[in-house]
Amino acid sequence: MGRSSRKIEILHAASKIVSDQGIFNLTLEAVAKQAGISKGGLLYHFPSKEALVQGMVEHLASNYQEKISNNAELDPVEKGRWTRSFLNVTFNQSYENKDMNAGLLAAKAVNSDLLHPIREAYSNWQDKIENDGLDPVKATIIRLAIDGIWLSELFDIYQIEEVKKDEVYRTLKKWAEEE
């Protein structure tokens, strides 16, 4: 198994702990146990809890950015492509392991400076969305609605029923396709 895949396994293990047991149960010992490796093996890849959380955020941001960029490039209609891509990825293609979102919660708890990669990604997306050919305010409202649903699910505040969620998705998509 390569270094990269082992690191990703460790990140998944850490995310699972945060998601299942809460942020305060995220310890290097718990992550090593969950990943099925020694603490020394964990420390080889992530020399501290902060480095581990930073890795969680960077991995999530990188994966998400790649999917949004790829989707935007595949969209044949230039106007609104970034807004539609953000919508499509968030609703339909988000990270296959939803627990990885827990890295954001861990970063906020450990050191909010570790959120820099996701802040940077959002700044980039917002710029692209505002300069997407759609009305910038409307495009921002679409992004904020998408984020609202995502954060509601992340914090387990409210799980919108699938039929309603699909209706919201279709409505936002229609808005992002309007001339």
Side-chain angles (χ1 to χ4, degrees):
M1 176 176 301
R3 270 185 77 190
S4 180
S5 59
R6 174 57 79 187
K7 283 178 90 166
I8 291 170
E9 281 183 11
I10 293 167
L11 296 174
H12 283 274
S15 297
K16 183 162 180 45
I17 289 168
V18 173
S19 208
D20 292 351
Q21 302 170 29
I23 294 164
F24 298 110
N25 288 304
L26 181 67
T27 64
L28 295 177
E29 294 79 12
V31 174
K33 183 177 179 184
Q34 179 73 35
I37 60 173
S38 68
K39 186 174 176 186
L42 171 66
L43 291 171
Y44 173 77
H45 295 287
F46 300 101
S48 67
K49 182 176 175 177
E50 193 166 284
L52 175 64
V53 172
Q54 181 176 1
M56 293 165 73
V57 174
E58 287 173 352
H59 181 71
L60 178 67
S62 171
N63 182 276
Y64 207 50
Q65 282 181 292
E66 184 178 324
K67 286 184 179 195
I68 291 172
S69 292
N70 289 344
N71 269 266
E73 289 175 19
L74 294 173
D75 191 329
V77 179
E78 190 170 337
K79 183 178 180 180
R81 76 169 32 143
W82 285 96
T83 306
R84 285 188 301 278
S85 181
F86 190 83
L87 172 68
N88 184 34
V89 169
T90 304
F91 269 76
N92 302 316
Q93 301 176 27
S94 60
Y95 198 83
E96 61 273 1
N97 179 354
K98 297 251 187 221
D99 289 345
M100 283 304 289
N101 291 322
L104 301 177
L105 301 175
K108 186 67 178 166
V110 171
N111 176 353
S112 64
D113 289 342
L114 298 176
L115 290 170
H116 179 72
I118 202 74
R119 288 181 181 131
E120 192 173 284
Y122 260 90
S123 179
N124 180 38
W125 294 325
Q126 183 64 30
D127 181 61
K128 289 184 184 297
I129 286 169
E130 286 182 9
N131 295 290
D132 208 12
L134 301 173
D135 173 85
V137 172
K138 187 175 191 177
T140 298
I141 291 168
I142 293 168
R143 185 193 61 81
L144 291 170
I146 296 163
D147 282 346
I149 290 171
W150 172 67
L151 288 169
S152 179
E153 290 176 354
L154 174 63
F155 286 107
D156 201 22
I157 296 167
Y158 179 77
Q159 300 291 324
I160 189 170
E161 60 273 5
E162 286 303 315
V163 172
K164 177 79 72 185
K165 188 175 178 180
D166 187 55
E167 288 175 27
V168 169
Y169 170 76
R170 285 186 279 117
T171 300
L172 293 172
K173 187 172 185 227
K174 183 176 137 196
W175 290 352
E177 293 171 341
E178 289 178 352
E179 292 297 318

